[in-house]
Every structure is written in structure tokens, then in C-alpha cells.
Amino acid sequence: MNAWLRLGAPAVVALVVIGLWQALVRAFDVPIYLVPAPTDVAQALVRDWELLSGSLWVTLEITGLALLAATVLGVLLAFLFVQSRVIEASLFPYAVLLQVTPIVAVAPLIIIWVKHTLVALTLCATIVAIFPIISNTVLGLRSIDPGLLDFFRLKRASRWQILWRLRLPSALPAFFGGLRIACGLALIGAVVAEFVAGTGGSQTGLAYQILQAGYQINIPRLFAALLLITVAGVVLFAAMTLLSRVVLRGWHEMR
């Protein structure tokens, strides 16, 4: 697909939606405390930028740390799982358990057990983000050409050589697929954990600003915080997509 079409088509859709939103709010004279117009949101974004940008940085810090932790732990666990079907059968259900357990149910316990707020929130976001890394990496590590595996065994390659030279290159496309999913989940996990924690003071993320804006019926600021979360998610996804294309360029059809 043409790059201009890939970027231009969503931009046109966004402009049409924003234009309709602005026109409908003004035409029906919708109160600002119900649905603010895009211009009201833009004004709130500019007026409260110092407050919102600081909170955005806190949320991004938690998201980045959680994504890093989920990537390292997820890849290590995937390497462990492919060493033995017994290990995978014994431990993989617990990875699924992390995926199906609602983070809002366990976040209060984690926040009580871990006194350091940043560590507690990062741990919550890591739990949300780790499963796609594990499942996709395991799938990639197991999706190797049986003929190549027989060839490596015929050459008496060690388990480490098979992992490093055969399984790892084959797993990269699936790994990056999981990474693109995990970056969005890490952001969601960070925001949900911030909602549960509801901490004040200087170390506050965008979720706290949303809560405060709701209490104060400052709806334009609430929409501005939501907009920053959405933009952050899109930028993270684009960054992971770009990274995968750079790494896979030239040898895989996914480029």
C-alpha cells in the first residue's frame, strides 16, 4: 500500500470526524460539561499543558518500564518453554492465568504489598502486557522448518546452537507481532493501575488527571487527557511497527 494513502486516509477520516463533532456540538448548543467541542479540548490542552505533560511523562515511564520488563521476562519464559514439552505443559497454564485475571481485581493487592508506587504500577502493567510476548514467541520458536531441524540434528548441533541459529531467527516475525500488541496493553495496564491507585502528589499519571477532572466537572481537561493517552498508544504502536520493519527488512516478507 502506498505510504501516503496509509497515512493520508486515516488523517482524512479524523478531520471529517472532528469537523462533524464540532458542527454538531455548535448546532445543538451542547453544554460544555456534557460534550465539549474539539476547540474547547484544544484550549484545555494548551491551558493545562504543563500539568498534563508531566502526567503524560509519568504514564509513559510506567508503560516503558512495563514493556521492557514484559519483553525480557516473556522472551526468557518462552525460551524455557520450548526446551521441553513437560515444562511448557506445566507452566503455560499459569501464563494464561495472567492473561485472564482482570488487573483491576489484583491491582489493589499489588499496591498494598508493594509500597513503592512506581514499582507497584509497573508490576500491574507488566502482568497485562506479558502474555502476548510469551505466546507469540513460543509460537515462533516452535514454527521452524522440520527439514532444517533434522539437518541441524544430523550435524549434531547443540541445543543452544539450534535455539540461537534456527529457532530465534524463525521466531522474530511472531515476536514483533506480540510486541506490537504488548505495547498497547502496557499502556492500558499503566492507566488501569493508576486508576486503582488514585495517588496524588507529584508522581501522578494521566488516569489521576482524568479522575480529578471528572470530580471537578472539568470535561475539556478530561477529554484532553484521553486524547493524550490515545496519541501515546498510536505513537507506541507505530514505533514498534517501524522497529519490526527495520529488523526484518530484506529477509522476511513481513517487511
Side-chain angles (χ1 to χ4, degrees):
M1 183 185 296
N2 184 286
W4 286 106
L5 178 61
R6 197 159 44 210
L7 296 175
V12 170
V13 172
L15 289 175
V16 170
V17 171
I18 292 173
L20 284 174
W21 178 4
Q22 179 79 23
L24 291 173
V25 168
R26 295 306 183 209
F28 291 97
D29 197 20
V30 180
I32 195 171
Y33 57 83
L34 289 181
V35 180
T39 50
D40 298 323
V41 178
Q43 289 173 1
L45 191 60
V46 173
R47 184 179 59 247
D48 300 328
W49 175 249
E50 186 176 352
L51 178 68
L52 293 174
S53 61
S55 297
L56 173 64
W57 174 250
V58 173
T59 300
L60 288 179
E61 183 182 14
I62 296 169
T63 302
L65 290 173
L67 185 60
L68 177 63
T71 302
V72 173
L73 292 175
V75 169
L76 290 177
L77 286 172
F79 283 174
L80 178 64
F81 288 173
V82 297
Q83 299 308 307
S84 166
R85 289 288 185 182
V86 175
I87 295 175
E88 182 179 356
S90 303
L91 298 180
F92 197 82
Y94 295 100
V96 176
L97 196 65
L98 292 176
Q99 174 72 5
V100 300
T101 302
I103 191 61
V104 292
V106 296
L109 287 176
I110 293 174
I111 292 168
I112 290 172
W113 290 338
V114 181
K115 298 302 181 185
H116 195 285
T117 303
L118 179 63
V119 175
L121 299 184
T122 301
L123 183 56
C124 292
T126 302
I127 291 174
V128 177
I130 195 171
F131 185 75
I133 301 288
I134 295 175
S135 61
N136 279 41
T137 307
V138 168
L139 177 66
L141 290 171
R142 292 214 178 278
S143 300
I144 56 175
D145 188 334
L148 286 175
L149 181 59
D150 291 339
F151 176 76
F152 271 68
R153 286 172 175 168
L154 185 66
K155 292 294 184 181
R156 298 182 183 278
S158 66
R159 189 182 292 269
W160 169 253
Q161 288 173 321
I162 292 175
L163 176 64
W164 182 252
R165 296 185 178 181
L166 179 60
R167 292 191 186 276
L168 191 59
S170 300
L172 283 179
F175 164 74
F176 280 111
L179 193 61
R180 286 199 296 272
I181 300 171
C183 70
L185 290 177
L187 179 61
I188 292 171
V191 172
V192 171
E194 288 173 356
F195 267 123
V196 175
T199 56
S202 58
Q203 298 297 317
T204 58
L206 286 173
Y208 179 75
Q209 298 303 334
I210 290 173
L211 287 174
Q212 288 300 304
Y215 294 148
Q216 299 166 4
I217 318 182
N218 190 343
I219 307 305
R221 183 191 292 175
L222 190 153
F223 270 75
L226 285 174
L227 176 65
L228 288 179
I229 292 174
T230 304
V231 172
V234 172
V235 170
L236 282 174
F237 185 85
M240 294 303 110
T241 302
L242 179 63
L243 178 63
S244 67
R245 290 185 178 178
V246 169
V247 174
L248 300 176
R249 178 180 299 165
W251 68 273
H252 192 270
E253 62 183 10
M254 183 181 168
R255 63 188 184 277

